[in-house]
Amino acid sequence: MPLTARAAGAGGHGGRRHEGGTDGDRKRRRRRVIRWSASILALAMAGTATAGYLYYEHLNSNLKKADLNIGDSKDRATKTKANAAGQTPLNILLIGSDARDTAENQKLGGARDIGTAARADVQMLLHVSADRTNMSVVSMPRDTLVSIPKCTDPDTGKVYPATTDTMTNASLERGGPGCTVATWEKLTDIHIDHFMMVDFSGVVSMADAIGGVPVCVDANIYSHTSSGHGSGLKLKKGTTSVKGKQALQWLRTRYGFEDGSDIARTKAQHMYMNSMVRQLRSNATLSNPDKLLGLAETATKALTVDTGLGSVTKLYDLSKELKKVPTARITMTTMPWVYSSDGNRVLPKPTDAAKLWRLVREDIALDGKDKKKTATAKVTDKAAADDKIAVQVQNGTKSGTEAAVTGRAAAVTELLTGKGFAKAAADTSALLSEDLTVVRYPSADLAGDAQRVAKVLGIPSSQVKKSTAVSGVTLVVGADWRSGTEYTADDDDTTPASASALNASDTKACMHVDPNYTW
């Protein structure tokens, strides 16, 4: 499976911009820009800037571009406000496409037909902290069942209606990477700034240009079954530097790693990415201009990015921001998950997944080395008297593994009226699914009212959201408040153990091989 990513605007994330200046300034700027190196995926992870003169406009023309978000605007997440230093976090969605749109991709992907719809078989959210001291990467297994919002293909105008309980990799075939971005924002409520996407042939060409990535297995492995399944990966026990097709096989291997699940494959992808980061930051051959020329050429040809990241200049600016993060502060994780009822798919683990998304939203490092950075939200709108605030209460206690608790909207409405909110009313028209209890409001003039409701119930201000999907102050009782009359907020900022965190500086990580796939 290839690794792709769609990334949006880099210039406004803390790097200095040089839009003006003299002709000499601009020429020097361009020379600096065209000295950058590395496959952009590697660049995105390692932030490596190097020497080597390139044809600037030629590289720009290599890049393929697409819209950042093509989903229903009601599902857009709110961008995080800048901190006191004027810095904001940076969220980039890396997407690996299984496109069979060329003969080369068809051969590498093992498909019989060219032109089948591409799917997003690898999805990783790369979060760079506002102060650029740490980076978190969260993978979502391709078999995860999610709700995909309504998406409109920007090229054809075709409208894809919203769906539920759909595999997340299907989002890509519903108008392009912009629908995958929209799906992530709907699920996580995390604003995504950019995306970057690469296909099968892109992974192969970039692995060759990098010069190989060291990977480790604890036994000889051959990913192949008698019925022809498997990636074909064949390695000896220990560490091997993989490149080209072999690198793609590593990233796609499921049969042979651990329990043969997509989760094991995600773990192998994390090890590959971590090793690639270390390789790029320590590899002396990156000072070779000829190698860098080929690397940059390969990278720009391999990538599809959002329009906000669609130039070498913007990629260079992005690389400078990413370069600031030490390898030891990069943490790879997997979205906490549980099996679906039929055991064939996975679902976000209700409490743990919601907690992981919260940590990312609040810019809290997943390696546990930072203190909580959030502060109480400042609201200039003054709240009305409690008995004048109209509150609609909805039941959102349904989760992927548990049915909704009947009567919760009515019970919490009664709680609110008992606290003086005479205009609170239960909406029993639908049973929703919300991991965390949330208070939504449609416009700034109701922000104070929404915060007042949250404060009375003990709901953190970070769970008060502006949303055009509601017409008034709306309290959705989530799966984290299935019983009782007292809401208990999760203020523990440690990363859930179920996220399987792996530090990028870990050089001892080795994939366990299923004994049935040894040779």
Side-chain angles (χ1 to χ4, degrees):
M1 266 180 268
L3 296 170
T4 29
R6 165 189 190 176
H13 300 287
R16 292 175 297 175
R17 298 186 65 84
H18 302 266
E19 300 297 341
T22 65
D23 289 343
D25 291 336
R26 285 191 287 271
K27 288 179 180 178
R28 285 191 293 273
R29 167 68 171 163
R30 175 156 298 186
R31 285 198 295 269
R32 287 196 298 270
V33 168
I34 63 177
R35 285 192 200 109
W36 71 290
S37 83
S39 82
I40 301 303
L41 179 59
L43 176 149
M45 294 303 300
T48 304
T50 61
Y53 286 97
L54 307 174
Y55 292 103
Y56 180 79
E57 294 301 333
H58 168 67
L59 292 180
N60 279 339
S61 67
N62 282 346
L63 288 167
K64 297 178 287 292
K65 294 172 279 290
D67 290 349
L68 174 63
N69 189 312
I70 60 172
D72 190 326
S73 61
K74 291 188 297 184
D75 295 311
R76 287 306 310 267
T78 303
K79 187 174 180 62
T80 303
K81 294 182 179 180
N83 61 18
Q87 302 165 307
T88 56
L90 179 61
N91 295 307
I92 304 170
L93 188 63
L94 311 177
I95 305 170
S97 160
D98 72 348
R100 271 82 169 181
D101 53 353
T102 66
E104 184 179 7
N105 277 331
Q106 179 195 25
K107 181 179 179 180
L108 291 169
R112 295 181 179 179
D113 300 314
I114 295 179
T116 55
R119 294 161 296 185
D121 272 6
V122 174
Q123 299 175 41
M124 295 182 179
L125 178 64
L126 187 156
H127 170 86
V128 188
S129 66
D131 60 10
R132 306 303 189 251
T133 62
N134 66 88
M135 184 188 300
S136 302
V137 181
V138 184
S139 292
M140 187 192 305
R142 69 166 189 172
D143 293 343
T144 304
L145 297 179
V146 297
S147 293
I148 300 178
K150 182 175 91 172
C151 292
T152 303
D153 189 316
D155 296 325
T156 66
K158 181 176 180 178
V159 176
Y160 295 86
T163 67
T164 58
D165 296 328
T166 304
M167 280 177 57
T168 184
N169 69 344
S171 59
L172 186 61
E173 61 189 11
R174 300 170 63 81
C179 194
T180 304
V181 169
T183 300
W184 270 79
E185 289 203 355
K186 180 178 177 61
L187 175 68
T188 67
D189 198 27
I190 296 169
H191 177 85
I192 294 175
D193 300 289
H194 303 284
F195 80 86
M196 305 171 86
M197 184 169 72
V198 66
D199 58 17
F200 289 145
S201 59
V203 169
V204 169
S205 61
M206 287 195 294
D208 286 342
I210 291 169
V213 176
V215 295
C216 176
V217 288
D218 65 2
N220 293 351
I221 181 174
Y222 183 33
S223 177
H224 181 75
T225 69
S226 58
S227 58
H229 290 94
S231 70
L233 179 70
K234 192 171 186 179
L235 296 175
K236 291 182 178 181
K237 177 181 178 179
T239 299
T240 303
S241 182
V242 296
K243 58 170 62 175
K245 184 175 181 179
Q246 201 171 47
L248 176 62
Q249 290 173 333
W250 175 275
L251 295 168
R252 300 188 68 213
T253 293
R254 184 176 66 182
Y255 296 100
F257 283 155
E258 300 190 348
D259 62 356
S261 70
D262 193 50
I263 309 302
R265 173 162 46 193
T266 297
K267 182 177 178 180
Q269 291 166 356
H270 287 171
M271 289 186 184
Y272 180 94
M273 295 293 285
N274 284 346
S275 183
M276 183 171 66
V277 169
R278 296 192 299 269
Q279 185 80 350
L280 283 166
R281 289 190 169 183
S282 65
N283 195 336
T285 63
L286 292 181
S287 61
N288 184 316
D290 290 336
K291 289 183 178 294
L292 294 177
L293 284 169
L295 196 53
E297 181 78 16
T298 298
T300 51
K301 284 183 177 179
L303 283 174
T304 299
V305 300
D306 63 275
T307 52
L309 198 65
S311 73
V312 173
T313 301
K314 291 177 180 179
L315 288 169
Y316 174 75
D317 287 341
L318 174 62
S319 76
K320 292 193 299 181
E321 293 302 294
L322 296 168
K323 186 181 179 182
K324 297 174 184 177
V325 181
T327 303
R329 295 297 311 278
I330 299 174
T331 305
M332 297 278 184
T333 62
T334 301
M335 177 199 75
W337 57 274
V338 292
Y339 281 114
S340 59
S341 57
D342 62 7
N344 293 324
R345 300 288 182 263
V346 299
L347 300 161
K349 189 173 184 179
T351 302
D352 287 3
K355 181 177 183 180
L356 190 65
W357 304 139
R358 177 182 68 80
L359 295 177
V360 174
R361 279 196 305 271
E362 297 181 2
D363 198 23
I364 298 171
L366 299 186
D367 60 8
K369 295 181 180 179
D370 288 347
K371 293 182 179 180
K372 188 172 181 178
K373 302 177 182 178
T374 54
T376 302
K378 294 181 180 179
V379 179
T380 56
D381 174 57
K382 186 177 180 180
D386 291 352
D387 62 350
K388 301 298 183 183
I389 299 176
V391 186
Q392 185 177 63
V393 184
Q394 298 176 328
N395 187 343
T397 57
K398 179 179 179 294
S399 73
T401 57
E402 295 180 293
V405 178
T406 58
R408 283 304 287 162
V412 176
T413 297
E414 183 178 351
L415 174 65
L416 277 171
T417 56
K419 291 180 178 292
F421 292 84
K423 290 190 175 182
D427 174 12
T428 58
S429 62
L431 296 178
L432 308 177
S433 179
E434 199 78 47
D435 286 337
L436 294 179
T437 296
V438 63
V439 182
R440 295 191 172 99
Y441 63 96
S443 54
D445 61 310
L446 292 176
D449 292 356
Q451 288 287 357
R452 173 60 184 166
V453 171
K455 183 177 180 180
V456 168
L457 295 176
I459 299 169
S461 61
S462 61
Q463 290 168 225
V464 179
K465 306 288 184 182
K466 185 177 179 181
S467 171
T468 57
V470 297
S471 57
V473 176
T474 304
L475 167 64
V476 184
V477 184
D480 60 340
W481 196 11
R482 293 174 61 85
S483 63
T485 57
E486 183 175 343
Y487 182 76
T488 303
D490 179 10
D491 57 1
D492 175 13
D493 291 338
T494 58
T495 302
S498 55
S500 304
L502 178 67
N503 189 274
S505 62
D506 184 356
T507 60
K508 297 181 180 179
C510 204
M511 284 301 295
H512 174 63
V513 176
D514 182 338
N516 295 316
Y517 291 86
T518 58
W519 56 277

